[in-house]
Amino acid sequence: MVIRSAKVIITCPGRNFVTLKIETNQGVYGVGDATLNGRELAVASYLTDHVIPCLIGRDAHQIEDIWQYLYKGAYWRRGPVTMSAIAAVDMALWDIKAKVAGLPLYQLLGGASREAVMVYGHANGVSIEDTVNVALDYKAQGYKAIRLQCGVPGLASTYGVSKDKMFYEPADADLPTENLWNTEAYMRVVPDLFKAAREALGEEVHLLHDVHHRLTPIEAGRLGRDLEPYRPFWLEDAVVAENQDNFRLIRQHTTTPLAVGEIFNTIWDCKELIQNQLIDYIRATVVHAGGITHLRRIAAFADIYNVRTGCHGATDLSPVCMAAALHFDRSIPNFGIQEYMRHTEATDEVFPHGYYFKDGLLYASETPGLGVDIDEEKAAQYPYKRAYLPVNRLQDGTMFNW
Ligand code: KDG
Ligand code: MG
């Protein structure tokens, strides 16, 4: 079965998504997510101009060899653009293989290690009270884990706190929005948020928080320690991670579990973090970390160091990526949790899928393949619209860490 053709589909049903569709000479096709928030067209070009010509005529079953060919053969390795493009090819090929086998993908990845996967939802609010009220709604909907983010007193806007309670979309403008940041005010409000949330929500529900890389290691150590009485499930992206030793310093000061990795692209970004047991959860996900093939390698490596997975699952990861992540999550032994942010209705219509949410868990589709498709006619109704993630500055105007 050889690859006959492949194309890139760009659509914006509320936000931009880039999807690769690979067709074989036997009529079977597969889809892969290639969305890189704020840099979508770079991946689209990488695929159309540089990858697709090399795929035509190859055996669609040779997933591992095609992965190695695209990674090693390009000479220029790693990076989000390259790895998102490779991921899209990898997802589409796994989709094809599972369709041909007549099995939902998780069956080809070793079968189910669990029936369904625990997810966390996002409770956002301008104030502590607002956030706690939204978190109570999530609890009432059956969520077992909830991420808490609230506005920082004195700051007009804060990255990670959405204006919309149902849908969170950080890529909000034709040119980057600029937010201001105040570490001291932030370090005061987050422990108060967790205290109020524990009191309102009780002991059973897991509580998470994302720092979005806005602290130094010693500040993160302090925040982790201040949150310990409220037993957070994790503290995410506490610091920037280019210097993996940052996490050693945090570890010396707190037992709050640490999660990082949504912007990682390969195992090399987290090798030291994992083998030195400096983190508890690795958040790399299918689309930005080289597809199912490479993410399985990262997870297997993490497993021997007691690090569990917590795949990124924000709205910029399309339903194609979410479907792939759920088959992966369902199969691996060291699954921890899956992030889940609802897509808009228009997105769900462009990407019909079989996965569903029930009682705090997501269930992977049981149809052969990934269990997700793209409706090309509907996709064509939503042309690409440039959108950027915001930029962060300290109040004195200095460009900040992340
Ligand atoms: O593209 C960036 C977003 O996906 C990211 O800001 C969301 O931090 C995020 C998260 O944890 O979902
Ligand atoms: Mg995050």
Side-chain angles (χ1 to χ4, degrees), residues 120 147 210 212-213 236-237 262 283 312 339:
Y120 68 91
R147 185 181 107 163
D210 190 348
H212 294 292
H213 317 109
E236 173 189 340
D237 286 350
E262 68 181 44
R283 278 180 48 69
H312 188 201
E339 181 179 14

Side-chain angles (χ1 to χ4, degrees), residues 335-356:
F335 167 77
I337 198 166
Q338 168 69 51
E339 181 179 14
Y340 175 49
M341 284 166 75
R342 292 166 293 231
H343 285 114
T344 60
E345 223 170 276
T347 299
D348 286 341
E349 281 173 11
V350 170
F351 296 98
H353 54 264
Y355 65 79
Y356 63 95

